[in-house]
Amino acid sequence: MQAVILAAGESSRFWPLNEQPKCLFKIMGRSLIWYTIEGLRKAGIKDVIIVQGPKKDVEQGLQNYGLGKGIQYVIQKTAKGMGNALWQAKNLIRGQFLVLNAERIDIDEIFNFQFSIFNSKVKSILFGQHTDNPELYGIMRIRGDRVLEIIEKPKRGKEPSNVRVVGVYLLEPEFFNYYQKVKKEKYDFEKALSNYLRENEAKFVFLRKPKVFSLKYPWHLFNVNKYLMDKYLKPKIEKTATISKNIIIGGNIYIGKNTKIFEGAVIKGPCYIGDNCIIGNNSLIREYTNLENNVLIGALAEVKNSIFQENCHTHSGYFGDSIFGKNCRIGAGTITANLKIDRGEEIKSKVKSQKSKVNTGLNSLGAIVGENTKLGIHVSLMPGVLIGSNCLIYPNSVVFKNIEDKKVFK
């Protein structure tokens, strides 16, 4: 069986972390699409076609992982939706094929468990799971174990069921005959699939896992980070790391090559600290923190359940339930408020593609900051604030609302 990984989307809902494809976001030193490919290989699928954008950044991002043979790349010149992306792979497909998003990091669990209940005569399978927010997803109209139709983002109250498509499809080449006939627009994949479903039997598989990962919004990375750490993180301190005296290390922790941990630091796992990092004196690094290569956490800082991409530098401050893109510079005394003042209300956040604020499902959420942004000393960021890439935030600023890319905030 072949697999087609779709990795060419614009990821507008993933702002402010969408300067690159979201599948290239790193957790524990590897991009998310690497985990997807690894999961496919664990499931026995080694023939993989990756649909990427014209910059070929996915191909470049994977070139240092030594993936070997079995990976082919095709280009979607413009982001015209899922159907057009899949069409680019048509000439490389030889038979039954799996279609999945590039961030399907749990594909090995989905594939190995669910496919055992079907025999080889099944030509098409769609995977679904319950949702409380049908307006955000493609929703299945089902009868028994058969899928009849897909309704994309139905209005609340008009959804055909509460079962959403999870972004994994087993299809046959015959699907392309249906796609070729539909009007080409944003949701032409779903329309072609619905036409196919009316004339061909496709099975429905309900995923009973407690959680199937969705990566629509940037705060979904916290679930992804926890899942990957619980699954892949192995305790290790590299030999070239420098660990000073009088530090406390407890739990499942990885410390990378040439990283320096200075006196008085406390690290409570699970945590990942990459290569060439610096953890300053008397700093506290707490559970499910991910620090990629060349991150500097200054003296007297506290970092809790946060993700820092490569080459971020901070001084003293508090960073809770927050995410920083590559190359951010954060001044001393910066605070990310991660709880609303009443301590119990769910945090809502405003994203570019939505007119109103979106429920995050989180009671604890700090700031999410794009690449190359600089924050001056004593900046305060309110819960759920999103700050774009290449911004400059002046000292002593209090940020209550989102800041677009390339803005100066005084």
Side-chain angles (χ1 to χ4, degrees):
M1 186 181 296
Q2 294 175 288
V4 180
I5 296 178
L6 305 179
E10 293 180 337
S11 306
S12 60
R13 286 177 293 189
F14 205 61
W15 181 85
L17 302 177
N18 62 344
E19 286 290 295
Q20 62 179 359
K22 60 184 176 181
C23 66
L24 294 181
F25 194 91
K26 287 186 177 179
I27 299 292
M28 295 191 297
R30 297 185 184 276
S31 59
L32 297 181
I33 191 173
W34 180 90
Y35 292 104
T36 301
I37 295 170
E38 180 70 8
L40 287 170
R41 291 184 171 183
K42 286 183 178 180
I45 302 176
K46 299 180 181 180
D47 189 345
V48 176
I49 304 164
I50 298 175
V51 184
Q52 62 178 336
K55 294 181 180 179
K56 299 184 179 180
D57 35 16
V58 175
E59 186 173 354
Q60 294 169 11
L62 289 173
Q63 64 184 357
N64 295 326
Y65 290 129
L67 294 173
K69 298 180 180 179
I71 308 292
Q72 300 180 82
Y73 296 92
V74 295
I75 293 175
Q76 184 184 27
K77 293 181 179 179
T78 57
K80 293 182 178 179
M82 182 175 173
N84 180 265
L86 185 58
W87 182 262
Q88 310 311 312
K90 176 180 178 291
N91 292 335
L92 297 178
I93 293 172
R94 300 186 303 273
Q96 208 173 25
F97 60 98
L98 199 67
V99 182
L100 65 161
N101 297 325
E103 309 82 32
R104 192 76 273 157
I105 58 173
D106 53 356
I107 187 61
D108 55 325
E109 297 178 24
I110 293 173
F111 190 93
N112 284 335
F113 178 72
Q114 299 295 343
F115 270 53
S116 62
I117 66 175
F118 289 103
N119 59 41
S120 60
K121 294 182 180 180
V122 177
K123 293 182 178 181
S124 299
I125 300 174
L126 277 69
F127 296 86
Q129 192 173 49
H130 283 155
T131 178
D132 294 326
N133 300 294
E135 68 278 7
L136 299 179
Y137 303 99
I139 301 299
M140 298 184 190
R141 187 186 306 277
I142 54 180
R143 181 188 300 149
D145 65 350
R146 182 174 175 180
V147 187
L148 304 179
E149 188 180 11
I150 304 295
I151 307 297
E152 186 64 26
K153 297 181 178 62
K155 292 182 178 180
R156 185 170 285 274
K158 295 186 177 181
E159 60 272 11
S161 72
N162 64 348
V163 179
R164 70 178 179 92
V165 178
V166 300
V168 180
Y169 310 83
L170 178 67
L171 299 175
E172 58 170 332
E174 177 66 15
F175 165 79
F176 290 109
N177 292 330
Y178 290 84
Y179 179 75
Q180 198 168 12
K181 296 175 183 178
V182 299
K183 181 181 178 181
K184 302 303 180 283
E185 54 187 5
K186 185 176 181 180
Y187 296 122
D188 54 16
F189 172 82
E190 289 78 10
K191 290 186 177 180
L193 184 57
S194 291
N195 291 343
Y196 172 88
L197 294 172
R198 292 187 187 100
E199 299 180 9
N200 299 270
E201 184 176 0
K203 296 293 185 180
F204 157 65
V205 175
F206 180 74
L207 297 176
R208 300 188 181 278
K209 292 177 58 178
K211 182 71 176 178
V212 173
F213 291 103
S214 173
L215 197 58
K216 291 183 179 296
Y217 299 115
W219 52 83
H220 291 157
L221 282 166
F222 294 113
N223 286 332
V224 169
N225 180 60
K226 184 179 186 301
Y227 172 84
L228 290 175
M229 281 197 180
D230 289 344
K231 184 174 182 178
Y232 288 102
L233 184 61
K234 305 298 181 185
K236 183 178 182 180
I237 300 176
E238 294 287 353
K239 293 180 179 179
T240 55
T242 301
I243 309 297
S244 301
K245 296 180 179 179
N246 302 321
I247 72 167
I248 298 174
I249 296 179
N252 189 6
I253 295 169
Y254 175 87
I255 299 176
K257 298 175 183 177
N258 303 311
T259 285
K260 298 178 181 179
I261 314 291
F262 285 92
E263 290 83 359
V266 178
I267 305 174
K268 297 182 178 181
C271 289
Y272 175 90
I273 302 174
D275 298 341
N276 304 303
C277 292
I278 294 176
I279 308 299
N281 297 82
N282 302 305
S283 286
L284 171 59
I285 311 296
R286 291 169 54 193
E287 296 85 354
Y288 292 105
T289 287
N290 182 92
L291 308 179
E292 292 297 322
N293 294 345
N294 304 300
V295 169
L296 185 154
I297 303 295
L300 302 171
E302 180 179 356
V303 184
K304 173 251 179 184
N305 187 40
S306 292
I307 304 171
F308 288 73
Q309 293 295 279
E310 300 100 315
N311 200 33
C312 285
H313 292 187
T314 79
H315 291 281
S316 61
Y318 175 72
F319 309 97
D321 305 288
S322 296
I323 305 173
F324 291 87
K326 294 185 290 187
N327 306 314
C328 287
R329 295 293 183 269
I330 307 163
T334 294
I335 301 294
T336 61
N338 59 336
L339 290 169
K340 301 193 79 169
I341 197 165
D342 62 6
R343 290 294 193 268
E345 187 177 346
E346 178 185 348
I347 295 171
K348 297 181 179 181
S349 190
K350 182 75 167 60
V351 297
K352 275 189 172 182
S353 59
Q354 303 286 349
K355 294 182 180 180
S356 58
K357 286 189 174 182
V358 175
N359 293 325
T360 66
L362 301 172
N363 293 329
S364 297
L365 175 60
I368 301 177
V369 181
E371 296 180 6
N372 307 310
T373 285
K374 297 178 175 62
L375 287 75
I377 63 170
H378 298 296
V379 170
S380 298
L381 306 175
M382 295 299 105
V385 161
L386 309 182
I387 299 176
S389 297
N390 303 294
C391 291
L392 177 61
I393 313 301
Y394 268 47
N396 294 312
S397 296
V398 181
V399 183
F400 284 92
K401 296 182 179 180
N402 291 356
I403 300 174
E404 298 295 322
D405 296 333
K406 301 178 181 179
K407 297 294 185 181
V408 175
F409 184 89
K410 297 184 180 181

